Amino acid sequence: MAKAEKAAAIAELKNDFESSNGAVLTEYRGLTVAQLKELRTNLGENARFAVVKNTLTKRAADEAGVDEQFRALLEGPSAIAFVKGDVVEAAKGLRDFAKANPLLVIKGGYIDGQSMDAAEVGKLADLESREVLLAKLAGAMKGSMANAAALFNALPTQAAQLAEALRAKREAEGGETAEAPAAE
């Protein structure tokens, strides 16, 4: 690879590190080209899966300020999924593909300035998507607001019921309503 090509590759990788929300490092040894194409399709539009050279990636990671723990994972044949968007969705796609194709090994990741090992990426994949979490939060907020509205609505209703019960009790005791003494 010529020096100009290396510089261009490093610049592209640095840009990918800086512009993405996260990167998940994998080992792809033994996967066919068709399987890698299927993986790229499964990841969708919010992730770019690229086979990388470790030395060039280490240089790009240094220039981008990526954590030293992430750079230490760059051993053996490496590929990186650069995620722009929902990191959880990409982690799920990689995890599901790795379950179906055990030759894909997730080494770790770099997400929002923090490096993660393979177990932490797995935990991230177990989370529900952002939309589901937001929907649950909205449902919880709506439920508590509905409870508050019911409570505020119950107070005047209970006061009216109490007044009616008191009127009925006085009528039963005296045989007359409170209006009768005022008529005399």
Side-chain angles (χ1 to χ4, degrees):
M1 186 177 254
K3 196 170 192 175
E5 290 175 351
K6 287 181 183 179
I10 291 171
E12 182 182 355
L13 287 170
K14 178 185 175 204
N15 183 42
D16 285 339
F17 276 119
E18 292 174 343
S19 65
S20 63
N21 295 351
V24 180
L25 185 65
T26 64
E27 182 177 318
Y28 65 94
R29 189 183 322 210
L31 291 175
T32 64
V33 173
Q35 289 171 324
L36 289 175
K37 183 178 179 184
E38 178 186 346
L39 173 59
R40 287 183 176 106
T41 304
N42 289 346
L43 287 176
E45 305 231 350
N46 71 338
R48 184 177 81 83
F49 190 76
V51 174
V52 295
K53 288 186 172 254
N54 291 338
T55 54
L56 300 179
T57 305
K58 284 180 184 179
R59 285 186 188 172
D62 283 337
E63 290 180 16
V66 176
D67 196 330
E68 181 66 37
Q69 292 174 336
F70 181 78
R71 290 190 299 261
L73 297 173
L74 289 165
E75 298 293 326
S78 299
I80 301 178
F82 292 103
V83 182
K84 295 179 182 176
D86 191 5
V87 180
V88 173
E89 185 180 323
K92 283 182 183 184
L94 286 167
R95 180 200 57 196
D96 294 344
F97 187 84
K99 282 182 182 177
N101 300 286
L103 295 175
L104 181 74
V105 178
I106 298 173
K107 295 180 181 181
Y110 179 78
I111 298 167
D112 291 332
Q114 304 251 344
S115 62
M116 304 175 83
D117 62 8
E120 291 171 326
V121 173
K123 287 179 185 176
L124 185 66
D126 291 337
L127 289 176
E128 293 174 336
S129 72
R130 182 176 190 272
E131 290 79 19
V132 171
L133 292 175
L134 287 174
K136 284 185 176 183
L137 177 64
M141 290 173 67
K142 181 182 177 189
S144 64
M145 292 176 90
N147 287 342
L151 177 68
F152 291 136
N153 192 27
L155 290 174
T157 304
Q158 287 179 350
Q161 289 173 349
L162 181 63
E164 177 61 26
L166 184 60
R167 187 196 60 77
K169 181 180 177 187
R170 283 190 179 164
E171 188 177 286
E173 287 177 352
E176 298 179 15
T177 62
E179 299 170 9
E184 291 179 9

